[in-house]
Amino acid sequence: MNTTQQPATELPSNHISERAFLCSAMNDPVIIDKVIDRVNPEVFHLQAHGTIWGILCSMRNDKKPIDIVTVTNEAEARGGIKTIGGAGYLTEIYTTVSTTANWDHYLEEVEDCAARRRIIEAAKILQRDCYDKGISA
């Protein structure tokens, strides 16, 4: 029996938690206020989710109301509704969870995956540098 594990080929991500966090933020915009200074769009694995987060933060900073209609309209106004998967996908995100009570857990999962992706990227750079004969130990 071979117990050797093959390295994962996909970067760490939790798209369900990303969607659940975005849903929570759209349904309770006060959540955005609590984390706007520490959460940036790059924390999301899916670029579409990062774009949606950027729209939510911008709308909150501009004191615009946030709901499925206003977010969809804002995405359309920015010309990015297709880049986030369309109005249908935005509606799916908006209805991902039935309560915002666990938003902090969803965000913790998203941030954990982002941290692991950063570590993997740093390790790749270190590995590449170790093979580069121009760099001394």
Side-chain angles (χ1 to χ4, degrees), residues 29 39 62 68 110 114 120 129:
V39 177
D62 294 342
I68 188 60
V110 171
I120 290 168
D129 290 350

Side-chain angles (χ1 to χ4, degrees), residues 62-77:
D62 294 342
K63 309 233 183 305
K64 293 181 179 177
I66 293 176
D67 60 38
I68 188 60
V69 174
T70 58
V71 174
T72 301
N73 290 342
E74 185 72 19
E76 287 175 347

Side-chain angles (χ1 to χ4, degrees), residues 18-85:
E18 289 184 12
R19 287 173 54 152
F21 173 70
L22 291 170
C23 172
S24 297
M26 282 192 275
N27 282 285
D28 184 1
V30 172
I31 292 168
I32 300 168
D33 299 335
K34 293 178 181 181
V35 298
I36 196 167
D37 291 332
R38 80 168 211 249
V39 177
N40 60 53
E42 291 77 30
V43 77
F44 297 93
H45 183 249
L46 291 181
Q47 184 175 353
H49 293 170
T51 300
I52 294 166
W53 177 248
I55 290 169
L56 294 175
C57 291
S58 177
M59 290 178 70
R60 196 68 176 161
N61 282 334
D62 294 342
K63 309 233 183 305
K64 293 181 179 177
I66 293 176
D67 60 38
I68 188 60
V69 174
T70 58
V71 174
T72 301
N73 290 342
E74 185 72 19
E76 287 175 347
R78 294 173 180 224
I81 193 70
K82 289 183 182 176
T83 64
I84 61 172

Side-chain angles (χ1 to χ4, degrees), residues 69-119:
V69 174
T70 58
V71 174
T72 301
N73 290 342
E74 185 72 19
E76 287 175 347
R78 294 173 180 224
I81 193 70
K82 289 183 182 176
T83 64
I84 61 172
Y89 184 63
L90 197 55
T91 301
E92 284 180 35
I93 289 173
Y94 190 74
T95 59
T96 297
V97 294
S98 60
T99 178
T100 63
N102 297 318
W103 70 268
D104 52 340
H105 173 73
Y106 308 138
L107 180 58
E108 184 178 306
E109 291 289 322
V110 171
E111 291 178 319
D112 177 67
C113 289
R116 289 188 288 141
R117 288 193 302 273
R118 287 190 300 272
I119 292 167

